[in-house]
Amino acid sequence: MAVAPRDAALMQTAENAMLGQIQKGAAASMMQSAAERNEKGGFVGHEDMTDVAAGQGVSITETNLPGRRIITEEIGGQVVGQYSQPSPLQSLAPPSSHGEVKGGGGITIGEALEATALTAGKKPVEWSDAAAIQAAEVRATGRINITPGGVAAAAQSAATINARTTRDEDKTKLADILTDATAKLPADKQVTRKDAEGVAAAEMRNDPMLTTHPAGVAASVAAAARLNQSNKN
């Protein structure tokens, strides 16, 4: 199986959401390197995702042992990475917990947005990004209108200014907007498949090519939804 760019982005999102950051030398970084080689070699396209990743998603399992935890990363049920880490001293998790965050509540929309700051943080904010962030915020808060001073309002402002800015280095990036997104949301919720579909539709409608960025907002929300669903099964 040739690793595709969106496979790597999916695992990056999973590691950030489940483990707090992309792990050095773990599955996501290795998959990113492999995807770059495959793209340069013409084996995959920049927007590609393998059928296995698209259909079955990725999963991260954490098994807690005395003084350490075993992290196992899988794509479609196939183990692609396994390593050990010291356990936090305050950890009181049961001996075998499977991908739980916030006391077993699952990955939230805010956490998925924060994952985007890592997977596509250097991307200048465009209208498609702002639309996706607005859709995510509305679903997180349950409110029709966006929150003044929130992530959606900041994204809309950034997209407007960026559209009038010539040089990319002068434009506001996704990381500027989405870092600490959870703290900027007045309310939050677990990501569901319907949330992911709504965010993806908003991003696509506002993209000139009617597509989504392989590591952008919609991709992160979709990855979170897949992880939440797999952890329920």
Side-chain angles (χ1 to χ4, degrees), residues 27-198:
S29 60
M30 291 188 292
M31 289 173 64
Q32 180 64 38
S33 297
E36 290 174 355
R37 289 196 301 270
N38 290 337
E39 186 176 353
K40 289 179 181 178
F43 301 110
V44 297
H46 187 64
E47 301 288 330
D48 285 358
M49 174 182 282
T50 61
D51 292 340
V52 173
Q56 301 180 51
V58 304
S59 65
I60 298 178
T61 303
E62 176 182 313
T63 302
N64 287 280
L65 301 174
R68 64 193 179 100
R69 58 179 182 171
I70 305 298
I71 308 296
T72 304
E73 299 176 293
E74 302 179 4
I75 297 180
Q78 179 180 351
V79 176
V80 294
Q82 188 174 65
Y83 52 95
S84 174
Q85 289 184 340
S87 293
L89 294 177
Q90 70 272 26
S91 176
L92 297 175
S96 186
S97 62
H98 184 84
E100 296 180 350
V101 296
K102 291 197 171 183
I107 302 169
T108 67
I109 288 176
E111 289 167 337
L113 292 177
E114 290 177 352
T116 311
L118 288 179
T119 57
K122 296 181 180 179
K123 180 184 183 296
V125 181
E126 300 177 302
W127 290 115
S128 57
D129 303 313
I133 293 168
Q134 178 177 342
E137 182 184 286
V138 167
R139 288 178 173 275
T141 63
R143 302 174 183 176
I144 298 176
N145 298 321
I146 64 175
T147 304
V151 288
Q156 288 184 352
S157 176
T160 301
I161 296 172
N162 284 352
R164 299 195 297 261
T165 304
T166 303
R167 302 192 310 166
D168 277 356
E169 53 265 38
D170 295 331
K171 295 180 179 181
T172 301
K173 309 299 192 297
L174 281 174
D176 300 324
I177 304 298
L178 297 179
T179 300
D180 298 326
T182 300
K184 300 172 185 175
L185 290 171
D188 206 353
K189 66 183 285 289
Q190 271 191 66
V191 182
T192 66
R193 181 174 56 83
K194 288 186 177 180
D195 295 330
E197 291 172 350

Side-chain angles (χ1 to χ4, degrees), residues 206-231:
N206 290 273
D207 183 86
M209 304 300 293
L210 297 178
T211 187
T212 60
H213 190 278
V217 176
S220 292
V221 175
R226 288 191 186 99
L227 284 166
N228 285 347
Q229 184 60 44
S230 68
N231 289 341

